[in-house]
Amino acid sequence: MKTKLYTVSIYTENNVGLLNRISAIFQRRKINVESINTSISEIEGVSRWSVVVAISEEQIRKIIGQIEKQVEVIKAYYHTDEETIYQESCLLKVKSDLLFEDLQIQNIIKESAARIITVNRNFFVLEKSGRKSEIELLYRELKPFGIMQFVHSGRIAVTKDELKISNLLKAVTA
């Protein structure tokens, strides 16, 4: 079976325990979740999840079917990287003296299009949004200087084509 990276978009009611049930669907099949993110959606009262997994298309179809069996799930979709516009972001905390004393760090920040979020006597914090490869490159370039803290978000994505979820919900609630 040929595996591919898929972004799963799940529209749900916001209920306690749903995360456990959805993650169990992946766990039972021994599928590693690369990233997961949840937020409000374009529809009031509806949450949107973005889950990234590397599996075959046959597996993703079965997973979508299982996810949609959950009572609180309104609709689930899956998309390839080519069908989505996506970003990730990170925060990096680095010792402040390096920012002022090392031109190489200033060049790394400039070339990576990272933003300085805060600077104080002891540290500075950078924010970088982009593709996973861009974030990993920035991390590798700053690692030799001593990263104090690092956090990386899950993927957020929108589809290139229109999702008919709003129309679907209007039909269901009418």
Side-chain angles (χ1 to χ4, degrees), residues 12 15 19-20 26 32 37 49 51 58 78 84 90 92 95 102 118 132 137 158 168:
T12 70
N15 289 351
L19 174 61
N20 286 338
F26 293 98
N32 185 46
N37 183 62
W49 302 37
V51 181
E58 180 183 332
Y78 68 93
T84 59
C90 74
L92 298 107
K95 290 194 315 190
D102 196 320
T118 190
K132 185 176 183 177
L137 175 63
V158 294
L168 174 71

Side-chain angles (χ1 to χ4, degrees), residues 9-166:
S9 298
I10 310 167
Y11 288 84
T12 70
E13 297 172 14
N14 191 8
N15 289 351
V16 174
L18 187 57
L19 174 61
N20 286 338
R21 290 196 311 279
I22 288 178
S23 64
I25 291 169
F26 293 98
Q27 182 183 9
R28 280 194 301 271
R29 290 164 181 76
K30 298 183 179 11
I31 296 169
N32 185 46
V33 171
E34 302 290 327
S35 77
I36 188 167
N37 183 62
T38 185
S39 69
I40 63 169
S41 72
E42 65 275 18
I43 304 153
E44 189 174 334
V46 175
S47 296
R48 180 176 178 167
W49 302 37
S50 296
V51 181
V52 179
V53 291
I55 57 179
S56 71
E57 187 165 8
E58 180 183 332
Q59 288 175 302
I60 194 67
R61 286 182 182 167
K62 289 178 182 176
I63 295 259
I64 293 295
Q66 289 297 305
I67 290 171
E68 287 187 332
K69 287 181 182 178
Q70 300 300 309
V71 173
E72 302 90 343
V73 172
I74 298 161
K75 187 69 178 155
Y77 302 92
Y78 68 93
H79 303 281
T80 63
D81 285 356
E82 297 77 30
E83 298 169 322
T84 59
I85 300 164
Y86 59 92
Q87 294 281 288
E88 299 179 14
S89 65
C90 74
L91 296 175
L92 298 107
K93 181 177 170 183
V94 184
K95 290 194 315 190
S96 279
D97 57 345
L98 296 173
L99 179 62
F100 305 111
E101 297 173 7
D102 196 320
L103 286 176
Q104 188 177 359
I105 285 196
Q106 293 174 22
N107 289 334
I108 290 169
I109 293 168
K110 185 177 178 180
E111 290 171 9
S112 70
R115 287 186 325 132
I116 298 173
I117 300 296
T118 190
V119 177
N120 72 29
R121 188 172 307 191
N122 300 315
F123 62 86
F124 66 96
V125 176
L126 296 174
E127 180 272 335
K128 169 68 180 156
S129 293
R131 299 288 175 108
K132 185 176 183 177
S133 59
E134 296 172 81
I135 290 170
E136 289 172 343
L137 175 63
L138 178 60
Y139 179 86
R140 283 192 310 273
E141 288 179 335
L142 290 177
K143 188 169 172 73
F145 297 99
I147 296 171
M148 298 169 72
Q149 291 182 35
F150 174 78
V151 63
H152 183 176
S153 76
R155 176 183 288 192
I156 55 173
V158 294
T159 60
K160 291 180 180 176
D161 291 334
E162 179 185 2
L163 284 182
K164 307 260 190 267
I165 187 71
S166 296

